[in-house]
Every structure is written in C-alpha cells, then in structure tokens.
Amino acid sequence: MGTLRAGALTRRRVGMRAADLEYAVLDMETTGLDPNEGARIVEIAVVRVRGDGKLVEEFSTLVDPRAPVGGREFHGISESDTTGAPTIAQVVPRLAGLLSDAVVVSHNLDFEQRFLGSELAAAGLPTGQSGLCALRALRSQVDLERYSLPKASFQLSGDWPTGQHTALGDARACAKLLAEMLTNAPGELRYDGRSPKRFAALGPAPGTVSTPVRWKPRTASVPGGLQPLSPWRARWRPHELDPALCGGAFGATDRAAAEAAARRDTRFRERLATVAAVTGGIAATAAGGLLVRLAGGHGGGWPIGGGPGGGA
C-alpha cells in the first residue's frame, strides 16, 4: 500500500467538492530516479493552496542527503549547496504540519510516492494521507498533445512556468495548474477519495535534544502568492478517462485504450439510467394503482394526495 491514498478528480456527483478542500502541492529534486538504487532527496517544497488558488503557505529547503549528489545536470544542485542543509529527519516535523488536513498533490505522484515511502515515512512522516496525481487528473479531463508540467502549462494558458527544475518553482506551477483546472472545468469537479487526515504535531525523537533547524531555501518566496489564474485554451474530454489508465508514458496506444474504456463505461451508465427510468415508471404506475384500490376500499373517502384531515 502506498504512503498516500490516491483519489481522483471527477465530474460525477460523488465525493467532495474539490473547491472546498485545501491542497499541499509537493515537489522534490532527487539524486536519481529510484530510491532502491540509492537515490535521495536533495530539495523539497510544499505549496499549500485552497481550491480557489489562494496561497495559504509555502515552504522549501535544500536537504543534506548524506550521500553523493548526482543528477546535477537536471536540478543544478551540487554537494556544496547541500552543506549545512537539514537532513530529512529534521524536515519531517515541518512537512507533517504542511500536509495535515490537506490533499497531497504532485504532478507525477507515482514518482513522489517512492521517496515518501523510502525516506520520509521511514523518518517518521505519518502515512495514509489523501493524495491526488495532477498528471493523471489532467490526462483524464483534458485532451492535450503533451502533459509535462511546463508544456501543459503553456498549451493551456500560454505562459511558461518559471523556476523549472527547482522544487518550489515546480510546486508553484503545479498548484497554479490545479487551481486553474478547478476554475476552468465545464462543471463542478469533485474529489473522489478519502477525507484528508489531521496529523498530530511531531516533536523531536525520544532521547534527542530539540534544536532550531536552519532551513536552506534555494528559491525565495514571491510576495502576493501565486500568479493570477488564467482562462484555459483546452478541449475538455466529452467522457472523462479512468485515472488508473492514465499513468506511465501514456502513448498513443495507452490513450486509445483509455478512451475506448471511457466510451464503454459511458454506454453502460446510459443503459443503467434507461433501465432505472423504465423501472421507476413501472413502479410509479403500480403504486398509483395500489393507491386507487386502497382509496376504493375506504369508500372513496380520501382524495388522492390527501389523508384523514389532509388538504387537496
């Protein structure tokens, strides 16, 4: 079971109104792709936002991985940058507060899940929080050529996000994309998943001395919160796709399979609705006949729709 319990965004009348929730948008920079092969977190950021895009709080810091820092060609972080940065164990209490009572969001939650389990949960971060993959949600709802965070942002709003390949820059871009999705949707989006959990405040580990942690942010916070939300130039799917089919590379074959499954599901739901309507009509007709017979048994003393002492 994953560290997070992933839910989904849907236009169906299930779950909770997505606009009513708060979201902790999480991004990491790491030394590699697989923690099982020694990759470690070197930067982490959380942007906490409401469903309407209003910034609640943001946090970022470099992290000392206590290991060689690889992947510099992607994230630009060197070993000298992480010198003096906090360890993952020191970050966990702050992170738990930011994730408490929120849906945890990442653009590719499958990637972040691996490091949440291998490093953060192992260092004491509570598990079982609600989650949402923004990448799967976007693929499920909107038909685009490319779904990477910068390319999707540009296709939808015409703006390239700033601070790419920094944890805070990517978390901000993902938070803006999520808020725009909720705002621009052709109907109310709902979160189909478990309610967010409230985490108890985490203190220092037993037997350790509590000392102030010096954060080491690479990116400064921008006054005024997120950039204004943009209207989307998007073609919303007529039939939303199953997010479970929207992972991986999502190439042409994967898209076709997910779209075919959505069409089958839509036809099935339409048949169910038709059967329910017909069954309901038959039941209503039978109930009406029963009332007439009952009224006849009472000598016609109760008008239909009334009762003893009832009005017309």
Side-chain angles (χ1 to χ4, degrees):
M1 182 180 295
T3 306
L4 301 175
R5 295 179 180 268
L9 291 182
T10 180
R11 285 171 261 171
R12 296 172 185 162
R13 302 296 297 176
V14 297
M16 298 160 276
R17 289 185 72 247
D20 293 340
L21 300 172
E22 286 195 6
Y23 301 88
V25 183
L26 173 71
D27 192 82
M28 307 171 185
E29 298 298 327
T30 62
T31 63
L33 299 178
D34 191 349
N36 293 324
E37 296 179 359
R40 295 292 179 265
I41 299 169
V42 288
E43 187 181 27
I44 192 164
V46 174
V47 174
R48 179 135 176 174
V49 293
R50 297 193 321 213
D52 61 2
K54 182 175 176 57
L55 179 66
V56 177
E57 187 177 3
E58 65 180 19
F59 164 79
S60 71
T61 186
L62 291 162
V63 177
D64 183 351
R66 303 295 176 91
V69 178
R72 185 175 180 179
E73 64 274 20
F74 300 106
H75 50 60
I77 299 170
S78 67
E79 291 186 19
S80 61
D81 293 324
T82 63
T83 301
T87 63
I88 277 295
Q90 291 174 311
V91 173
V92 160
R94 179 77 169 99
L95 202 61
L98 287 162
L99 272 50
S100 179
D101 268 336
V103 177
V104 181
V105 181
S106 291
H107 189 66
N108 184 1
L109 191 63
D110 296 343
F111 176 80
E112 268 76 15
Q113 276 270 43
R114 295 199 289 268
F115 290 89
L116 281 164
S118 65
E119 287 197 72
L120 291 162
L125 183 72
T127 60
Q129 186 56 294
S130 305
L132 174 68
C133 180
L135 176 62
R136 289 177 184 263
L138 196 63
R139 288 171 170 175
S140 171
Q141 297 294 336
V142 182
D143 187 10
L144 295 177
E145 181 182 351
R146 301 292 294 275
Y147 289 93
S148 69
L149 184 56
K151 290 181 179 178
S153 298
F154 179 73
Q155 289 178 78
L156 291 166
S157 66
D159 298 322
W160 290 100
T162 59
Q164 294 180 43
H165 299 301
T166 68
L168 186 55
D170 287 342
R172 283 178 183 152
C174 185
K176 183 173 181 286
L177 197 70
L178 172 66
E180 288 176 346
M181 190 185 308
L182 301 184
T183 300
N184 286 287
E188 182 180 81
L189 285 176
R190 302 181 71 87
Y191 176 70
D192 186 13
R194 65 176 296 169
S195 298
K197 292 173 62 175
R198 175 170 294 179
F199 296 148
L202 299 182
T208 63
V209 178
S210 178
T211 57
V213 179
R214 293 185 59 187
W215 308 121
K216 195 173 183 182
R218 182 165 57 139
T219 308
S221 296
V222 177
L226 300 179
Q227 295 179 356
L229 304 185
S230 302
W232 273 9
R233 305 176 299 193
R235 187 166 76 87
W236 290 80
R237 295 187 182 279
H239 311 299
E240 61 185 31
L241 309 185
D242 182 352
L245 302 177
C246 295
F250 202 57
T253 302
D254 299 324
R255 291 192 194 210
E259 290 164 357
R263 289 192 294 270
R264 289 195 301 270
D265 182 64
T266 299
R267 289 194 296 269
F268 177 70
R269 290 175 180 275
E270 288 171 348
R271 288 196 295 268
L272 283 182
T274 300
V275 170
V278 171
T279 304
I282 294 172
T285 301
L290 178 61
L291 285 174
V292 169
R293 290 195 296 274
L294 288 173
H298 283 81
W302 295 1
I304 299 300

